[in-house]
Amino acid sequence: MSSPTSFRLSFASLRMPFSDSIKYTLLGISVFLFAIAALILTWQLYQYCKRKPKPSGKVKSYRSVDDKQAGNTIFEAVDKESDIQKYDYKVQKLEGEIKKLSRCLSATSSISEQDSADFQSITEADAQVNIQGKLRFSVSYDREQSQFALTVLDATGLPVRDFSQSADPFVKVKLLSGPLSEQPNLQCVLQEWETKTVKNSRNPVFGSQFSCPLTEKELKTITVKLEVRDFDRFSRHSVLGEVRTRLNNLNLLSHPVEISEELQKLNKDLVGEILLSLKYLPTAQRIEVGLLKIKTASLTSNKDKALYARVSIFCNQCRLKQQKTSLKSKWGITVFNEVLTFSLPDSNIRECVIAVSVYETIVHQKNSKCLIGQAILGKRKASEDEHWCLMMQSLRQPIAKWHSLLI
């Protein structure tokens, strides 16, 4: 069966239904795209030829044999890049060890602001070795406005730090009220202020003035406590000494009184009591600290005030762990009944010190935290706490005991 000749079309007889201008435009675009593709291919070939072959990192051996000499000599060539990689790995490993060591060595100097109070309470007694200098201040009372005023004037002859031969002193002022008739052994901190820090001076001039409302009846129970401290930006503030004066012994109702006294060794004040329970689990390497009750002194009642405690574990003057309790509304005796569990190696548990810091805060008010007292128990350098000994003797049993809250 043959096809009709009418259906036989030659290639020359084919025609595109476009004008010549469109045909030449399409042809130009095709040539342009082909040129771009050729350039890209040429560039890739150039980059491929220019690229150096990657070294395999393997050790290559070259052997030369000399029949005149006894034995064979083997030469090994190690690739340079492989050596560099090994060197970098060793350097990184060494840097990691150095960082670990630096963290351990600088643990006492990198204590956070929250822990500084706990750490200072543990080491404060050892820091007061050189008490010298005088502090001058003035007190006055305005009977018409029932306003008490205190001005920290200056200090003279303060000691300097051994390593820097300088001092950056400031004064922390506390108004203590007590003893109270309901709780005769407890003090209550009414007000707390701080002066500015004077840089590099053994004879600083402060000129800081503070005031608060007080009645004449309250004035008779007030003790002014001024603690002179040396500011340290990177560690705890050193204690240079204290001066305290009872306002009952001064005649403030008639005229202001200026006082200049020698600095004395810092003494803690009893501001409350805390009932703690301790339980040691040697097999689990765990210690349980139970916070049961807190007894504090307060002149006024405020439903918005609340208490919480932070328990910190120290070993060799380094904080290992810490936990804090929930907020509880403040009463004369605040009940917590909370147990905090700490997992520590047996060696650390037997040598550690527990610091319990009690804070007062105002509910629904930010940055209102105020330290009201601390209790320190555990194994010290000089002695061992009685409560701690009872815990170690009565394993796996909770032992409860009242401790003093000091500030």
Side-chain angles (χ1 to χ4, degrees), residues 33-291:
L33 293 177
F34 177 78
I36 291 178
L39 287 174
I40 293 175
L41 179 59
T42 305
W43 174 254
Q44 292 295 330
L45 290 173
Y46 172 74
Q47 292 293 329
Y48 179 78
C49 296
K50 186 180 178 181
R51 188 182 307 165
K52 293 181 180 180
K54 293 184 178 179
S56 60
K58 297 181 180 179
V59 177
K60 299 179 182 180
S61 301
Y62 301 92
R63 177 172 295 179
S64 64
V65 180
D66 191 354
D67 295 337
K68 295 181 181 181
Q69 297 178 355
N72 298 327
T73 306
I74 300 174
F75 299 95
E76 294 185 352
V78 180
D79 187 83
K80 292 183 179 180
E81 186 173 348
S82 177
D83 288 342
I84 293 174
Q85 290 176 356
K86 291 179 181 179
Y87 178 79
D88 291 342
Y89 172 77
K90 291 181 180 179
V91 170
Q92 290 175 1
K93 187 176 180 180
L94 183 60
E95 287 178 351
E97 295 296 331
I98 292 174
K99 287 181 180 178
K100 283 184 181 179
L101 183 61
S102 63
R103 282 197 297 267
C104 294
L105 293 176
S106 62
T108 56
S109 62
S110 60
I111 296 176
S112 63
E113 187 175 345
Q114 283 188 337
D115 307 326
S116 60
D118 299 339
F119 180 77
Q120 187 168 343
S121 296
I122 297 172
T123 58
E124 211 165 54
D126 300 331
Q128 300 179 70
V129 294
N130 186 18
I131 306 298
Q132 64 182 40
K134 280 187 176 183
L135 180 66
R136 190 167 65 97
F137 62 98
S138 65
V139 290
S140 61
Y141 183 73
D142 189 340
R143 180 181 293 180
E144 296 180 356
Q145 298 182 0
S146 299
Q147 194 80 4
F148 169 76
L150 181 144
T151 304
V152 183
L153 299 174
D154 55 38
T156 55
L158 298 180
V160 296
R161 292 187 290 265
D162 294 335
F163 61 90
S164 63
Q165 295 299 314
S166 63
D168 301 330
F170 70 96
V171 180
K172 194 171 187 178
V173 183
K174 295 178 182 177
L175 294 188
L176 304 176
S177 177
L180 306 177
S181 57
E182 301 84 0
Q183 298 168 317
N185 297 326
L186 301 184
Q187 299 273 357
C188 179
V189 180
L190 290 182
Q191 295 287 341
E192 191 170 350
W193 305 297
E194 282 188 9
T195 67
K196 64 180 181 179
T197 301
V198 181
K199 298 287 186 178
N200 299 324
S201 177
R202 293 188 60 194
N203 305 300
V205 177
F206 298 104
S208 301
Q209 187 172 7
F210 312 100
S211 62
C212 67
L214 286 177
T215 63
E216 293 186 22
K217 183 179 179 181
E218 293 174 336
L219 198 66
K220 297 179 181 179
T221 64
I222 296 297
T223 299
V224 179
K225 180 180 180 181
L226 300 98
E227 303 173 2
V228 182
R229 298 177 179 267
D230 186 10
F231 179 83
D232 193 333
R233 182 178 178 183
F234 302 103
S235 183
R236 72 186 191 277
H237 305 318
S238 303
V239 179
L240 302 181
E242 72 160 33
V243 169
R244 62 174 66 205
T245 303
R246 286 190 59 84
L247 298 183
N248 188 31
N249 301 329
L250 305 177
N251 187 14
L252 297 180
L253 302 180
S254 58
H255 56 82
V257 177
E258 184 176 306
I259 303 170
S260 178
E261 289 191 11
E262 298 278 349
L263 294 179
Q264 306 295 327
K265 184 177 180 180
L266 181 65
N267 294 316
K268 297 288 187 178
D269 295 285
L270 181 64
V271 294
E273 293 179 319
I274 182 170
L275 181 60
L276 296 173
S277 72
L278 298 178
K279 182 167 72 171
Y280 175 42
L281 304 172
T283 305
Q285 295 188 346
R286 204 166 61 226
I287 185 171
E288 295 181 356
V289 181
L291 183 61

